[in-house]
């Protein structure tokens, strides 16, 4: 692939893009109720980029200045051969081009892959876990087994990976476990981030509304028990972080709906069939497959990426209004990755 002339990726609002999230599959071995319907349909496999195409496409982003790569899905670890992709990305970590290679996973297959992920240069992994109650875990994920995830977390830590737990705040479901989750994460040496549930997917938007537990309320409840100190930590995204005086752990709050972070957004998302989504909260995307599959590739692919970047909107529109949902997204979270 040709390397010059390269202009760092920036959009028409002057934001520099250094963070790419790539969904390597829309499939998953779970069906979390806020993410997918039980009988959701997936893309035909023939539409997926091959692992070799994914490597070329993501490497073009790295050439253009992406420094942080998060592999997600669907569940990234269910994609057949996915370790080949991690090994390929490992070369960018070794060369210093990628400062961080990481993944978001439900953890069910982590025990099997943790050591190899560490060998590929992964240092941290985000594991999604909304409850420590096995029966409730089964209900939220429809058929997941909590013990698999806990085993995955233990294996990741044994392999030297730092684990951050992602917990979707769900009113009526895990609001009674707030302190238990915080204390458990502190005991395990895991950081913890809470996420507000988002109105995505073509099913049950009303359910999202009834599940919505604003993190302002969650934080106020935490403050009845812990002393929280705001930190300046920032990933350029929707998360803000506090340090818990009693435990020393970091707790993050991802508030895509009640907190405006768009002005400093540094990230874009790639679907498993090569569409670039420049904003999680708007529908538009650019298809990078033609440029990727064009025999001339090289500069054509760079140009296609740069053109797509210029379409990144100033901000998203979705949110919860009194009694309703504004700008709900038909696209499921598994399509672009969380
Ligand atoms: N399967 C992996 C996992 O669960 O970690 C990676 C993909 S999943 C789509 C990424 C993140 O999105 C998870 O932490 C999940 O909890 C979150 N998520 C899915 N649907 C969501 C929704 N409607 N609102 C907020 N977060 C959601
Ligand atoms: Fe699968 Fe992750 Fe969606 Fe749950 S949140 S259904 S684990 S993709």
């Amino acid at each position: 692939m040709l390397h010059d002339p390269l202009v760092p990726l920036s959009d028409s609002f002057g934001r520099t893009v250094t963070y790419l999230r790539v969904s390597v599959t829309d499939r998953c071995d779970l069906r979390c109720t806020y993410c997918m319907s039980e009988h959701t349909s997936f893309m035909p496999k023939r539409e997926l980029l091959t692992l070799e195409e994914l490597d070329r496409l993501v490497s073009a982003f790295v050439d253009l200045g992406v420094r942080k790569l998060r592999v997600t899905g669907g569940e990234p670890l269910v994609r057949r051969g996915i370790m080949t992709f991690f090994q390929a990305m490992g070369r960018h970590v070794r060369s210093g081009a990628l400062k961080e290679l990481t993944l978001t996973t439900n953890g069910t297959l982590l025990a099997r892959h943790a050591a190899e992920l560490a060998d590929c240069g992964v240092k941290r992994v985000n594991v999604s876990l909304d409850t420590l109650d096995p029966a409730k875990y089964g209900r939220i994920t429809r058929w997941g087994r909590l013990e698999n995830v806990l085993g995955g977390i233990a294996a990741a830590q044994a392999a030297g990976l730092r684990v951050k737990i992602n917990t979707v705040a769900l009113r009526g479901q895990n609001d009674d476990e707030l302190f238990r989750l915080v204390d458990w994460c502190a005991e395990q040496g895991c950081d913890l981030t809470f996420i507000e549930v988002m109105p995505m997917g073509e099913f049950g938007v009303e359910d999202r509304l009834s599940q919505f537990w604003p993190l302002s309320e969650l934080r106020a409840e935490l403050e009845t028990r812990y002393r929280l100190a705001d930190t300046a930590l920032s990933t350029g995204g929707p998360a803000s972080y506090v340090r818990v005086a009693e435990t020393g752990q970091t707790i993050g709050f991802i508030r895509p709906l009640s907190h405006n972070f768009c002005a400093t957004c540094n990230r874009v998302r790639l679907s498993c069939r090569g569409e670039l989504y420049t904003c999680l909260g708007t529908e538009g995307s650019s298809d990078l497959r033609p440029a990727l599959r064009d025999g001339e590739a090289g500069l054509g692919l760079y140009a296609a990426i740069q053109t797509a970047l210029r379409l990144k909107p100033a901000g998203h529109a979705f949110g919860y209004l009194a009694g309703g949902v504004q700008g709900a997204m038909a696209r499921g979270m598994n399509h672009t990755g969380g």
Side-chain angles (χ1 to χ4, degrees):
M1 187 174 282
L2 298 170
H3 283 263
D4 279 315
L6 298 184
V7 182
L9 282 178
S10 64
D11 67 13
S12 35
F13 300 93
R15 295 169 296 193
T16 303
V17 170
T18 54
Y19 182 5
L20 177 68
R21 293 186 175 215
V22 56
S23 171
V24 293
T25 176
D26 62 337
R27 284 160 205 262
C28 188
D29 52 346
L30 302 180
R31 295 287 183 278
C32 302
T33 48
Y34 49 75
C35 181
M36 293 185 196
S37 63
E38 187 169 1
H39 302 291
T40 194
S41 48
F42 296 108
M43 287 175 204
K45 281 193 176 156
R46 63 177 180 281
E47 287 190 20
L48 263 61
L49 297 184
T50 64
L51 292 172
E52 184 273 332
E53 285 175 325
L54 269 174
D55 178 359
R56 271 196 296 126
L57 185 50
V58 172
S59 296
F61 278 90
V62 174
D63 288 345
L64 288 168
V66 160
R67 295 292 166 255
K68 177 171 172 181
L69 176 66
R70 177 173 297 280
V71 180
T72 176
E75 172 47 42
L77 297 180
V78 303
R79 173 131 187 201
R80 190 172 303 185
I82 192 61
M83 284 301 136
T84 313
F85 178 68
F86 276 103
Q87 283 153 10
M89 293 303 104
R91 76 180 185 275
H92 296 308
V93 178
R94 286 191 299 279
S95 77
L98 264 187
K99 301 292 175 226
E100 188 169 3
L101 170 61
T102 181
L103 74 154
T104 301
T105 172
N106 62 28
T108 59
L109 299 172
L110 198 48
R112 198 181 297 170
H113 297 297
E116 197 175 350
L117 287 168
D119 287 345
C120 295
V122 174
K123 300 221 162 22
R124 294 192 310 129
V125 356
N126 287 7
V127 178
S128 302
L129 181 61
D130 303 329
T131 175
L132 291 166
D133 176 318
K136 209 193 280 183
Y137 184 80
R139 283 197 297 278
I140 293 176
T141 62
R142 287 206 179 87
W143 52 64
R145 291 164 64 99
L146 180 65
E147 68 215 48
N148 293 344
V149 184
L150 300 184
I153 292 170
Q157 291 182 319
L161 301 178
R162 189 145 179 84
V163 176
K164 189 176 86 174
I165 303 297
N166 278 351
T167 300
V168 179
L170 298 165
R171 195 189 288 286
Q173 292 188 57
N174 58 9
D175 42 1
D176 58 341
E177 280 188 81
L178 181 60
F179 300 138
R180 188 176 175 210
L181 280 161
V182 172
D183 292 343
W184 183 84
C185 285
E187 282 158 30
Q188 305 298 316
C190 298
D191 289 326
L192 170 62
T193 291
F194 292 102
I195 308 174
E196 279 176 349
V197 73
M198 291 181 252
M200 301 190 70
E202 279 173 327
F203 59 97
V205 165
E206 304 72 32
D207 292 344
R208 299 294 88 67
L209 188 61
S210 64
Q211 288 168 342
F212 181 52
W213 180 17
L215 293 190
S216 51
E217 284 181 26
L218 183 153
R219 179 179 169 147
E221 203 168 322
L222 279 179
E223 283 175 323
T224 64
R225 175 138 159 202
Y226 309 98
R227 280 172 298 139
L228 308 182
D230 286 309
T231 73
L233 269 178
S234 169
T235 58
S240 57
Y241 297 92
V242 296
R243 188 149 331 263
V244 184
E246 287 78 0
T247 63
Q249 80 206 110
T250 301
I251 295 187
F253 302 99
I254 300 189
R255 305 166 65 192
L257 304 171
S258 51
H259 190 80
N260 196 324
F261 58 92
C262 301
T264 54
C265 181
N266 62 352
R267 61 197 60 192
V268 291
R269 294 174 163 82
L270 205 51
S271 79
C272 51
R273 59 180 170 203
E275 299 142 317
L276 184 70
Y277 288 88
T278 54
C279 174
L280 182 63
T282 50
E283 294 281 5
S285 68
S286 305
D287 187 357
L288 296 175
R289 269 175 307 186
L292 178 67
R293 290 178 177 167
D294 177 356
E296 297 296 313
L299 288 177
L301 182 54
Y302 293 140
I305 293 171
Q306 279 160 333
T307 303
L309 244 290
R310 284 195 273 281
L311 300 176
K312 186 170 166 68
H316 64 231
F318 63 9
Y320 295 100
L321 299 173
V325 175
Q326 176 193 36
M329 303 282 301
R331 195 176 74 225
M333 189 72 118
N334 61 316
H335 190 75
T336 41

